[in-house]
Every structure is written in C-alpha cells, then in structure tokens.
C-alpha cells in the first residue's frame, strides 16, 4: 500500500505486548531536526517509535524518513504507546522531541507522560498538517519535570476527530546545562562597561545594571519635549508599520540557542531574528519596519488556512499609554523581552470576550465559521487580530522564567502596581489578514485561535525611542511613524 494513502476504515489493534526494553544515554547537547527528510545525526537519547513495550491502536510501516527503519502510523484519538526504561538523564534542562508527519488537516495533540497514561505531563505538542504522511518535522519542548533516570514513558494521542491524524517516527530526550537567558545588561548597545556590577540574579532573571539604568532614567526626564504643533489628536501614541520578514520554528525568548525547538513563527520587523538572536545582534541587523530606527523583533504564531500559510497583509505596532497619567512613561531598557498570550491555551475565556479575531471595515462580521472560532467578514471588511502587552515593568529585570513575571498591567485606577512601578509604553499589535468571506479551515501553528500570542524583543535605537516617548506619550499626543506631530 502506498505510504501516502490510508484505508477507508482503520482496523484497531487492541493491545500488543512486545517486551522491548528501551534505554538511551542522554548527552549534554541538543540536536533538533525540523525539515522533511532531514538527517538525525545524533541518536543519543533516541527511542524508536515502533519499539514500544505495549500499545493500543498503533501499526507500523516502512518510512522514507532519513535513517530508514519503520514509523508508527494509523494513530488517532485515544491511541497510546508505552516505553519502559527510558533514560531521562540527570541534572540540567530536559528537552523532549518527537518526529511526526501528517496528511490530515484535522490535527491533534501528542502528550508524553511519565509512569502511567494519566501520570505527570512531560511535554505536549500540537500536531497539524505537515504536507503528507511521510513529510517529517520535529517538535521539541522543554520539560519542567523533576524526574531523572530511567522512567516509563507513555505517548498519548488526542484529537477532536476520530480519524488518523499523525505518524510518529521517534522520540528523543536530551539534557543541556541550565543557563541564564542571553541578554544585555546595558540599556544601549554602544554603552561603555557598567560603572557598577549588576546585582546577583536568579537563573532566568537577567537584570539591568542599576547605576546605568538610574542614569538613563534621569537623563530621559531631563530631556525637553518638542513643542506640540499641527493640532495633533490628544491621544498618547506613536507607531511602527511592519511587514513579514521570514518564518522559522525558532523562539529566541522561550528557546534561546535551540533552533527548530518551537512551533512555526511569523517574524515581523528585524530581518535576522533566529534562535541565536541577542539584543546586540538585532541592533546590527536591518528591519522591515518603518521607521528604520526600530530594529526590534516581533513575532506571532503562523496562521494557516487549509494547511497553506496566510501572511498578514499589514501589521501596525502601536506604542501608547493606557495609564491615567502617561507623563511618567519612560522607554524600555535595551534588550527587554516579553510575551503576551498563551500558546498552550486552546479554550475561550469564561466570559467569551477575550483572545478573539474580529472583522474591521464596512459591514463587519456577517457570520461565524463552522467551528465557531472565527468571524466571517463582509466583502468590504477584513480579518483582524489585536494583541496587547503589559505596560508596567519591575524596573530590574530584562526577562523572567515565564517571560511575563517581570511585567504587569496597570490596575483599575490607571496606575502601575507597587510590585511593577515603572510605566513603559503599552505595545499593541494590530494584525490584518487578507481574509474576509472565507475564513473556514483556519489554524495557528500553536493550535486553535485561542492560542494566539505574541513576542517582543526591544532593539530600538535608544535615542529614537526616547524622543518618541518624551514627545508623544509623555505629552499625551498622537504622533506618526516618524515620531512627529
């Protein structure tokens, strides 16, 4: 039977017990393969999918994936495979990878659990269309488990539909030494060495140099704002307009130094953004944004319609203030990074008001898609998503382990909380897609529409950012992309 075909009805294998112990030595480096047909050159920590100790619903077939062997297919909701004596290694960060291929557009989730089928969750991966039953990609997740050594691992398949939705070729568990996230301790890429050492920080909490940050803040508020001309709108705001730069399964905030470890992202602005990006490397690169002084990296999960990438036709990045008194707003420190939204969220908010796409333009929304998640727009409107970041900073850290804890939103009074006392610009993406009357079949690389999220890595030229914050936000007036009235 050709490997890109499936029988009309699958015959389930209820249970097969094949006593095949699995063990792998876990090394101290991570090799991640992401493209169809790519070589898996390092097999340390690898578990072949067909080498289960027990299973339900799995069948094997020859694979065209590099390295030969067999893959496991005909996998649907409720199927599982058990692997005994899997070595999770010792200390360090555990990354868990699965090699998958899928011709189904229904999608689903693969879960890796320890001990039992409802045991501790080691990792979870959204799985969607990859181009065919033998078009292989690797999904990698960093696990937070405290488990080490040899464990029983279950691979579970979950999907909203009953048909087959994925093939699996192998699993791999790797350890890397725990390290702090890459970052810059200075507020400017051209700054001299810090005048005083930064305070000791916990892993994952890179900090600014306090003396330099205090000096930069004092210099900013000593800056004289430009005279207001041309009768601008009384709204504290400026913006950048950006287009798509590239796509890659990278995330330099969540998975720094691990190329291919993320779901696919659509990168906006900085042309060099990759898993290896630092604030300094971004600052040295070009951008698709106007103004050109904005070297920042912006990214969102890639949107697909029926398996085909649909890029935004335009993205406006607004910088504003939602605070009651915007006059104390100050620029982000150079190298600040943050995330808003949750890639793991696959459900609506209880009030059904949050994390939604909407229709902008004459006629607006005229219906809903079959799954109810997306609006159908009038011919004169377009599909839009807006996503907004927090606007209060703790004043110390450039990042945090969850990439959110160093940030907070202003409270109900319009002021920053005492825990995050520094008001910074409120960043908001307004993303316009070239879709209106046909919005069925939409998915995100992170899952359904409720998993929408966004990342921001600041690499503005410090002087250009300071001028806009002082002139536009602090005075409460709307400026254009060039930062003038």
């Amino acid at each position: 039977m050709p490997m890109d075909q499936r029988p009309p009805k699958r015959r389930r294998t209820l249970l097969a017990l094949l006593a095949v112990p699995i063990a792998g030595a876990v090394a101290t480096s991570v090799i991640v393969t992401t493209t169809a047909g790519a070589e898996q050159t390092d097999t340390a920590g690898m578990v072949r999918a067909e080498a289960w100790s027990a299973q339900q619903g799995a069948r094997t077939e020859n694979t065209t994936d590099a390295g030969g062997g067999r893959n496991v297919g005909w996998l649907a909701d409720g199927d599982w495979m058990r692997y005994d004596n899997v070595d999770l290694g010792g200390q360090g960060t555990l990354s868990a990878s699965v090699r998958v291929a899928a011709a189904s557009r229904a999608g689903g989730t693969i879960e890796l659990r320890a001990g039992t089928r409802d045991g501790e969750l080691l990792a979870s991966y959204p799985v969607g269309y990859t181009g065919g039953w033998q078009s292989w990609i690797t999904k990698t997740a960093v696990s937070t488990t405290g488990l080490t050594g040899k464990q029983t691992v279950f691979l579970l398949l979950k999907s909203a539909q009953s048909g087959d939705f994925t093939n699996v070729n192998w699993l791999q568990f790797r350890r890397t030494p725990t390290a702090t996230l890459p970052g810059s301790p200075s507020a400017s890429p051209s700054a001299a060495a810090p005048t005083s050492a930064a305070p000791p920080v916990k892993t994952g909490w890179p900090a600014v140099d306090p003396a330099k940050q205090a000096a930069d803040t004092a210099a900013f508020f000593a800056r004289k704002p430009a005279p207001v001309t041309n009768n601008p709108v009384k709204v504290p705001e400026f913006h950048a307009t950006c287009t798509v730069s590239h796509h890659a399964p990278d995330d330099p905030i969540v998975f720094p130094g691990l190329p291919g470890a993320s779901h696919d992202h659509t990168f906006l602005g900085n042309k060099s953004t990759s898993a290896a990006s630092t604030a300094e490397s971004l600052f040295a690169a070009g951008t698709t944004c106007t103004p050109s002084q904005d070297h920042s990296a912006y990214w969102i999960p890639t949107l697909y319609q029926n398996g085909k990438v649909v890029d935004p036709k335009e993205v406006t990045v607004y910088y504003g203030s939602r605070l009651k008194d915007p006059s104390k707003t100050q620029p982000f420190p150079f190298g600040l990074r943050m995330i808003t939204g949750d890639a793991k969220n696959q459900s609506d908010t209880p009030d059904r008001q949050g994390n939604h796409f909407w229709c902008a333009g004459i006629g607006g929304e005229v219906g809903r898609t079959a799954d109810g998640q997306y609006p159908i727009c009038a011919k004169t409107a377009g599909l839009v998503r807006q996503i907004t970041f927090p606007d209060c900073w703790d004043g110390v850290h450039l990042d945090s382990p969850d990439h959110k804890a160093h940030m907070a939103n202003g409270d109900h009074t319009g002021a920053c909380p005492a825990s995050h006392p520094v008001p910074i610009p409120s960043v908001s993406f307004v993303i316009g897609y070239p879709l209106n009357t046909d919005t069925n079949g939409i998915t995100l690389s992170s899952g359904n529409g409720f998993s929408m999220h966004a990342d921001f890595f600041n690499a503005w030229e410090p002087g250009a950012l300071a001028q806009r914050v002082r002139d536009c936000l602090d005075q409460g007036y709307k400026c254009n992309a060039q930062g003038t009235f």
Side-chain angles (χ1 to χ4, degrees):
M1 182 182 68
M3 281 184 280
D4 268 0
Q5 295 181 6
R6 289 288 184 269
K9 295 183 179 179
R10 67 194 287 272
R11 183 176 63 193
R12 298 179 65 87
T13 302
L14 295 180
L15 185 66
L17 295 176
L18 305 178
V20 183
I22 306 297
V26 179
T28 57
S29 62
V30 177
I31 295 178
V32 181
T33 319
T34 59
T35 57
E39 290 284 349
Q40 176 64 20
T41 58
D42 191 326
T43 59
M46 178 183 286
V47 178
R48 290 288 180 185
E50 70 270 25
W52 56 65
S53 299
Q55 58 88 11
Q56 176 176 288
R59 294 166 57 182
T60 65
E61 63 181 350
N62 290 331
T63 184
T64 63
D65 198 16
R70 298 178 68 79
N71 65 258
V72 176
W74 290 272
L75 296 171
D77 182 54
D79 292 343
W80 55 267
M81 294 171 283
R82 192 189 84 212
Y83 304 91
D84 294 337
N85 299 316
V86 177
D87 193 349
L88 301 186
Q91 298 302 312
T93 300
L94 176 67
S95 63
S97 302
V98 293
R99 183 80 165 159
V100 298
S104 169
R105 300 184 188 276
T109 302
I110 291 176
E111 290 184 352
L112 299 181
R113 291 186 176 272
T116 65
R117 277 180 282 169
D118 58 356
E120 179 183 346
L121 182 66
L122 300 176
S124 178
Y125 315 85
V127 177
Y129 176 76
T130 67
W133 294 114
Q134 294 293 322
S135 296
W136 296 94
I137 65 170
T138 300
K139 297 272 189 175
T140 300
V142 174
S143 179
T144 59
T145 184
L147 295 174
T148 59
K150 293 183 179 180
Q151 304 287 337
T152 294
V153 173
F154 278 82
L155 185 151
L156 298 95
L157 290 305
K158 297 185 177 182
S159 179
Q161 52 91 46
S162 59
D164 312 329
F165 73 93
T166 191
N167 285 359
V168 179
N169 198 17
W170 46 256
L171 301 73
Q172 190 173 36
F173 298 90
R174 310 299 302 275
R175 289 281 180 177
T176 56
T178 301
T180 56
L181 297 175
S184 168
S186 64
S188 168
S190 58
T195 56
S196 62
V201 295
K202 298 173 288 184
T203 297
W205 291 87
V208 297
D209 173 63
K212 187 173 190 316
Q213 181 62 34
D216 287 346
T217 299
F220 170 76
F221 285 112
R223 184 184 189 118
K224 184 178 180 180
V228 178
T229 59
N230 299 322
N231 193 29
V233 175
K234 193 74 168 73
V235 173
E237 179 187 289
F238 63 93
H239 69 272
T241 56
C242 305
T243 57
V244 173
S245 172
H246 58 287
H247 303 86
D250 288 359
D251 191 324
I253 294 179
V254 178
F255 299 113
L258 295 176
S262 174
H263 51 260
D264 198 69
H265 282 115
T266 297
F267 290 94
L268 311 158
N270 198 286
K271 296 178 180 179
S272 71
T273 313
S274 72
S277 290
T278 64
E280 289 79 11
S281 71
L282 294 173
F283 189 82
T287 180
T288 67
C289 293
T290 300
S292 61
Q293 297 100 322
D294 180 11
H295 304 265
S296 301
Y298 310 101
W299 60 97
I300 54 177
T302 298
L303 184 142
Y304 304 94
Q305 185 176 39
N306 299 320
K308 182 180 179 181
V309 173
V310 179
D311 278 335
K313 62 180 180 181
E314 58 183 6
V315 177
T316 303
V317 182
Y318 289 99
Y319 291 81
S321 175
R322 295 172 293 159
L323 303 179
K324 186 176 181 179
D325 178 11
S327 67
K328 300 301 182 183
T329 304
Q330 65 185 67
F332 319 100
F334 183 74
L336 180 80
R337 42 212 185 260
M338 55 180 168
I339 295 176
T340 187
D342 185 354
K344 296 180 180 179
N345 182 47
Q346 303 292 324
S347 59
D348 202 353
T349 55
D351 61 5
R352 298 186 179 277
Q353 297 297 311
N355 209 11
H356 289 177
F357 287 76
W358 50 285
C359 298
I362 298 172
E365 179 180 325
V366 296
R368 304 293 297 180
T369 56
D371 59 12
Q373 287 189 33
Y374 298 91
I376 298 171
C377 306
K379 291 182 179 180
T380 50
L383 186 69
V384 172
R385 182 68 173 86
Q386 183 170 3
I387 189 162
T388 302
F389 291 80
D391 49 4
C392 297
W393 175 47
D394 70 4
V396 177
H397 300 104
L398 296 169
D399 201 352
S400 50
D402 66 354
H403 318 294
K404 295 180 178 182
H406 60 308
M407 306 299 301
N409 287 304
D411 62 22
H412 68 282
T413 68
C416 284
S419 59
H420 295 75
V422 182
I424 58 174
S426 170
V427 181
S428 179
F429 298 179
V430 177
I431 311 158
Y433 291 95
L435 298 170
N436 46 37
T437 59
D438 180 11
T439 50
N440 281 294
I442 291 177
T443 59
L444 296 175
S445 58
S446 52
N448 65 28
F450 304 122
S451 69
M452 188 65 171
H453 56 287
D455 298 59
F456 168 65
F457 199 142
N458 176 41
W460 271 87
E461 294 180 16
L465 178 62
Q467 175 262 308
R468 286 162 170 78
V469 175
R470 194 67 172 137
D471 293 352
C472 312
L473 303 192
D474 287 3
Q475 295 191 100
Y477 288 100
K478 183 179 179 69
C479 291
N480 54 33
Q482 299 305 322
T484 58
F485 301 114

